[in-house]
């Protein structure tokens, strides 16, 4: 008897030394059941914790659960079968993976905070499967509440192959008390770590986003297409509806997403951007949902994902059409249920985020081609917004150029230059296949290369053909010979001279309109036989 007691004390001391060293709740619970189940006369050890009702339709105890809101979830299990030595008792599914609050011994302990200790020789009313108990030699069951500062953190169930006397009951109560304290500490450590990691993640995302958008964080323009977009933003920003922003690359889909977030009730929480086209397929799940330490090679520590970083705020899924088809189902689950698991972790997490997605693809075509899930498309396409191409709002180009020059000159520490009407007209005539992003790049390049002198826009040299309403060149399929190219160049110069009333030099002259040096234009005019004489208008010949 003394030897047995000494062994129990030694086992308890060994467990108490290990518990405080584990700061992960799941690993702590697994450690506890594994260690306790190895003690003499212990058949099975299980731990249940409170969670949301999640499998009501398949739960064996569903009829005994009236509210179906919360129940006790089996979170850790370990034991040794003597009737079926190969049977695995560490699984977390099965008939008793959930217990409604107040139902059976586990639910009773969770509701009352009072332990249930029974010896089967005296009472079998609490035993759900008496035959299993007899076959496994189970003689006593002790269900202990895991209490810490008056809060029930879970229920510890110990099934032993001996009757429970007063000393064993006190011993197991001591185990439950120390385990509850260890769980509270682990939960506190996890919370601190999660907050720290989330803060680091948010800071990194915010640094990246501020760097990308600090100069251009607003929608510029007063054209009818822009006013239509703003009216849609005003309509949807006050709701939590999912938004799908479509449009060509460079049209400002991200600005629309930011403006929706800025005007929403979630504006105090972060907006986290995910570039779906820039994430390798093998890392997509980890990037969105996070991963546990050791989940894969290189996973050296627990890491929260983008959903966790965006908790309470907005998640912007850019280029959603690039998301792998096998991951679309997992995204759909989060949108429908607000639940997900980190890679390599069984714990179900809950998250509250608003989703704004963007794409330059036609998702209806992608759905028809089986490259995009139809149910996910309809879940995202609650409120569609289409960003118009720049060629359909060319009247906004002067405002955009002025906006970019103001911020870029400040960023680069340069004097704010002026842009001539001829240059603005030429910029407005260009079809801008790269849309606003291309215009921004052109303005920045012109500012840098100007060195404080006259701005020179490279687009003037890229296209001299007129464009149709769809932004296509009139002569896309036409191949010109050398004489036709010369004739085309001559006509283009004559058009510029006509628009400038024969003025070659100066900010309002044809050379500025064509983006050429005056001396270069004069040389080409001479070569092409274009002469400017008094009262002569060669463009009218």
């Amino acid at each position: 008897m003394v030897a047995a007691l000494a062994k129990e004390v030694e086992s308890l001391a060994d467990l108490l030394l290990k518990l405080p060293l584990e700061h992960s709740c799941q690993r702590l619970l697994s450690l506890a059941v594994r260690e306790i189940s190895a003690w003499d006369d212990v058949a099975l050890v299980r731990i249940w914790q409170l969670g949301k009702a999640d499998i009501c339709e398949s739960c064996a105890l569903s009829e005994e659960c009236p509210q179906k809101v919360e129940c006790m979830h089996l979170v850790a299990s370990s034991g040794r079968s003597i009737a079926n030595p190969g049977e695995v008792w560490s699984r977390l599914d099965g008939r008793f993976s959930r217990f409604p609050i107040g139902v059976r011994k586990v639910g009773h302990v969770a509701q009352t905070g009072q332990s249930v200790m029974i010896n089967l020789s005296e009472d079998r009313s609490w035993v759900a499967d008496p035959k299993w108990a007899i076959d496994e030699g189970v003689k006593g069951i002790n269900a202990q509440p895991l209490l810490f500062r008056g809060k029930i953190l879970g229920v510890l169930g110990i099934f032993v192959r001996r009757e429970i006397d007063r000393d064993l009951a006190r011993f197991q109560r001591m185990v439950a008390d120390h385990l509850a304290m260890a769980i509270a500490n682990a939960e506190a450590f996890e919370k601190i770590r999660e907050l720290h990691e989330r803060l680091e993640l948010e800071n990194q995302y915010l640094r990246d986003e501020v760097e990308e958008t600090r100069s251009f964080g607003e929608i510029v323009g007063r054209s009818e297409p822009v006013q239509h977009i703003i009216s849609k933003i005003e309509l949807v920003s006050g709701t939590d509806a999912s938004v799908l922003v479509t449009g060509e690359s460079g049209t400002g889909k991200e600005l629309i997403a930011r403006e929706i977030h800025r005007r929403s009730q979630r504006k105090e929480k972060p907006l986290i951007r995910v570039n779906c086209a820039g994430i390798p397929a093998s890392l997509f799940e980890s990037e969105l949902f996070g991963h546990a330490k050791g989940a894969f090679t290189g996973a050296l520590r627990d890491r929260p994902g983008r959903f966790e970083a965006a908790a309470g705020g907005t998640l912007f899924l850019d280029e959603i059409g690039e998301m792998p088809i096998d991951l679309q189902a997992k995204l759909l689950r989060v949108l429908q249920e607000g639940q997900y698991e980190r890679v390599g972790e069984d714990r179900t997490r809950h998250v509250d985020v608003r989703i704004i997605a963007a794409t330059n693809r036609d998702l209806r075509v992608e759905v028809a081609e089986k490259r995009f899930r139809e149910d996910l498309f309809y879940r995202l396409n609650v409120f569609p917004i289409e960003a118009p191409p720049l060629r359909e709002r060319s009247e906004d180009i002067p405002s955009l150029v002025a906006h970019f020059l103001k911020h870029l000159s400040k960023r680069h520490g340069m004097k704010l230059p002026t842009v001539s009407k001829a240059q603005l007209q030429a910029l407005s005539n260009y079809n801008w296949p790269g849309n606003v992003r291309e215009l921004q790049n052109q303005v920045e390049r012109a500012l840098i290369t100007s060195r404080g002198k006259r701005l020179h826009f490279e687009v003037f040299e890229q296209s001299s053909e007129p464009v149709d309403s769809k932004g296509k060149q009139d002569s896309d399929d036409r191949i010109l010979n050398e004489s036709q190219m010369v004739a085309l160049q001559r006509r283009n110069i004559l058009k510029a001279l006509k628009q400038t009333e024969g003025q070659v030099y100066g900010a309002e002259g044809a050379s500025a309109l064509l983006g050429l040096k005056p001396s270069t234009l004069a040389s080409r005019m001479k070569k092409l036989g274009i002469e400017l004489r008094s009262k002569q208008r060669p463009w009218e010949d």
Side-chain angles (χ1 to χ4, degrees):
M1 181 68 177
V2 175
L5 180 60
K7 188 173 182 180
E8 288 178 351
V9 172
E10 183 180 350
S11 299
L12 176 60
D14 186 48
L15 176 64
L16 298 186
L17 288 173
K18 292 178 179 178
L19 291 180
L21 300 179
E22 186 53 73
H23 295 161
S24 164
C25 281
Q26 189 57 53
R27 290 197 290 267
L28 171 69
L29 297 173
S30 298
L31 168 69
V33 297
R34 189 171 59 250
E35 291 285 326
I36 298 172
S37 66
W39 295 352
D40 291 342
D41 298 324
V42 175
L44 175 65
V45 183
R46 287 187 157 184
I47 298 174
W48 291 264
Q49 288 189 302
L50 186 65
K52 291 187 176 182
D54 57 347
I55 58 170
C56 298
E57 293 182 0
S58 60
C59 181
L61 302 177
S62 178
E63 293 183 359
E64 301 180 54
C65 182
Q67 295 183 342
K68 293 181 174 55
V69 176
E70 291 181 319
C71 59
M72 301 304 294
H73 292 222
L74 179 62
V75 294
S77 178
S78 181
R80 296 164 296 166
S81 173
I82 58 175
N84 300 292
E87 191 172 2
V88 178
W89 284 2
S90 60
R91 292 177 58 177
L92 303 181
D93 56 358
R95 183 180 174 188
F96 302 116
S97 63
R98 301 289 187 274
F99 278 103
I101 305 298
V103 175
R104 309 290 178 92
K105 55 183 176 294
V106 172
H108 175 79
V109 174
Q111 184 180 57
T112 64
Q114 301 294 320
S115 62
V116 172
M117 183 189 71
I118 56 175
N119 287 313
L120 272 62
S121 62
E122 302 170 358
D123 182 7
R124 293 190 178 182
S125 61
W126 288 99
V127 182
D129 191 347
K131 184 179 183 305
W132 171 85
I134 293 171
D135 292 344
E136 294 295 344
V138 174
K139 296 181 179 180
I141 302 174
N142 195 352
Q144 292 284 346
L146 298 172
L147 289 167
F148 182 76
R149 295 182 177 176
K151 180 182 179 181
I152 300 176
L153 303 181
V155 175
L156 170 66
I158 305 178
F159 301 75
V160 293
R161 294 186 173 102
R162 74 185 229 199
E163 291 195 347
I164 301 173
D165 56 22
R166 181 180 177 184
D167 290 336
L168 182 57
R170 291 178 61 191
F171 179 80
Q172 292 180 349
R173 179 66 251 166
M174 190 184 306
V175 171
D177 288 341
H178 282 86
L179 178 56
M181 187 181 301
I183 291 173
N185 288 337
E187 287 180 347
F189 273 110
E190 280 193 343
K191 188 66 175 177
I192 292 171
R193 183 169 62 248
E194 286 179 7
L195 290 173
H196 178 70
E197 290 175 349
R198 186 184 299 175
L199 184 61
E200 281 188 338
L201 202 59
E202 285 182 13
N203 285 342
Q204 182 59 50
Y205 291 152
L206 289 173
R207 281 194 295 269
D208 294 343
E209 298 302 319
V210 168
E211 182 64 27
E212 290 181 11
T213 63
R214 61 181 178 176
S215 295
F216 314 111
E218 58 184 80
I219 298 175
V220 177
R222 295 185 177 181
S223 64
E224 184 177 342
V226 169
Q227 294 304 312
H228 182 64
I229 288 175
I230 292 175
S231 66
K232 282 200 163 189
I233 290 174
E234 290 175 346
L235 281 174
V236 77
S237 59
T239 73
D240 271 345
S242 297
V243 179
L244 180 62
V245 186
T246 57
E248 299 176 10
S249 295
T251 51
K253 296 186 289 293
E254 184 174 348
L255 278 182
I256 294 173
R258 291 184 178 282
E259 191 63 20
I260 293 172
H261 176 74
R262 189 181 69 82
R263 299 187 186 201
S264 74
Q265 296 178 351
R266 297 174 179 264
K267 61 184 178 182
E268 301 301 328
K269 297 292 184 177
L271 179 145
I272 301 298
R273 174 177 176 265
V274 181
N275 180 10
C276 297
I279 302 175
S282 59
L283 296 178
F284 220 110
E285 188 175 0
S286 170
E287 194 69 24
L288 282 181
F289 308 124
H291 62 253
K293 180 181 178 181
F296 50 83
T297 303
L300 303 179
R301 63 186 181 93
D302 292 348
R303 182 179 184 275
R306 306 282 180 111
F307 267 98
E308 205 164 335
T314 303
L315 188 66
F316 175 51
L317 299 174
D318 198 9
E319 302 302 339
I320 187 68
E322 306 297 329
M323 178 175 285
I325 189 73
D326 57 323
L327 288 173
Q328 292 175 20
K330 296 185 177 181
L331 173 61
L332 182 64
R333 181 198 171 200
V334 181
L335 298 184
Q336 290 176 333
E337 303 175 9
Q339 297 180 348
Y340 70 96
E341 291 84 29
R342 288 183 180 178
V343 178
E345 187 178 81
D346 294 329
R347 174 186 169 190
T348 298
R349 298 171 183 267
H350 301 271
V351 69
D352 171 31
V353 297
R354 190 222 189 122
I355 298 294
I356 301 177
T359 182
N360 59 6
R361 294 189 179 191
D362 186 340
L363 291 188
R364 294 185 185 276
V365 174
E366 297 297 303
V367 168
E369 296 293 332
K370 306 299 183 183
R371 291 190 294 266
F372 201 85
R373 291 180 63 104
E374 185 176 22
D375 47 5
L376 178 59
F377 168 69
Y378 287 118
R379 176 67 65 169
L380 294 172
N381 196 41
V382 175
F383 194 90
I385 296 179
E386 183 175 1
L390 185 56
R391 61 180 173 272
E392 293 181 5
R393 45 179 289 225
S394 57
E395 60 264 46
D396 292 329
I397 288 178
S399 299
L400 287 165
V401 171
H403 177 73
F404 292 146
L405 283 176
K406 176 182 176 181
H407 291 284
L408 287 168
S409 59
K410 184 177 180 180
R411 173 189 290 183
H412 296 302
M414 303 176 71
K415 184 179 178 181
L416 183 64
T418 58
V419 184
S420 68
K421 291 181 180 180
Q423 288 176 314
L424 289 176
Q425 183 62 45
L427 291 172
S428 298
N429 290 338
Y430 181 58
N431 70 320
W432 298 107
N435 294 295
V436 179
R437 185 180 296 121
E438 183 185 6
L439 174 62
Q440 175 189 325
N441 292 341
Q442 283 287 346
V443 171
E444 185 166 15
R445 189 179 301 121
L447 180 66
I448 293 171
T449 57
S450 68
R451 297 180 180 180
K453 299 179 181 179
R454 183 171 63 89
L455 294 176
H456 172 70
F457 294 98
E458 295 181 6
V459 294
F460 297 162
E461 301 172 358
Q462 294 176 8
S463 174
S464 57
E465 287 286 326
V467 297
D468 62 19
S469 60
K470 296 183 180 180
K472 296 181 179 180
Q473 301 285 13
D474 283 346
S475 303
D476 275 346
D477 300 326
R478 183 183 175 192
I479 298 175
L480 304 179
N481 58 32
E482 183 63 23
S483 62
Q484 290 172 325
M485 287 293 293
V486 170
L488 177 63
Q489 189 176 52
R490 190 175 192 280
R491 288 199 306 273
N492 196 52
I493 292 175
L494 290 173
K495 288 179 183 178
L497 290 171
K498 179 179 180 181
Q499 184 168 320
T500 59
E501 294 292 326
Q503 182 179 341
V504 175
Y505 298 89
E508 304 295 331
S511 60
L513 186 60
L514 294 170
L516 299 173
K517 294 181 180 179
S519 57
T520 301
L521 177 57
S523 175
R524 289 185 184 178
M525 289 171 61
K526 182 177 181 181
K527 183 178 179 180
L528 295 169
I530 301 174
E531 296 183 5
L532 291 178
R533 296 177 180 176
S534 178
K535 297 183 180 180
Q536 185 177 5
R537 296 173 178 263
W539 55 86
E540 295 179 352
D541 293 346

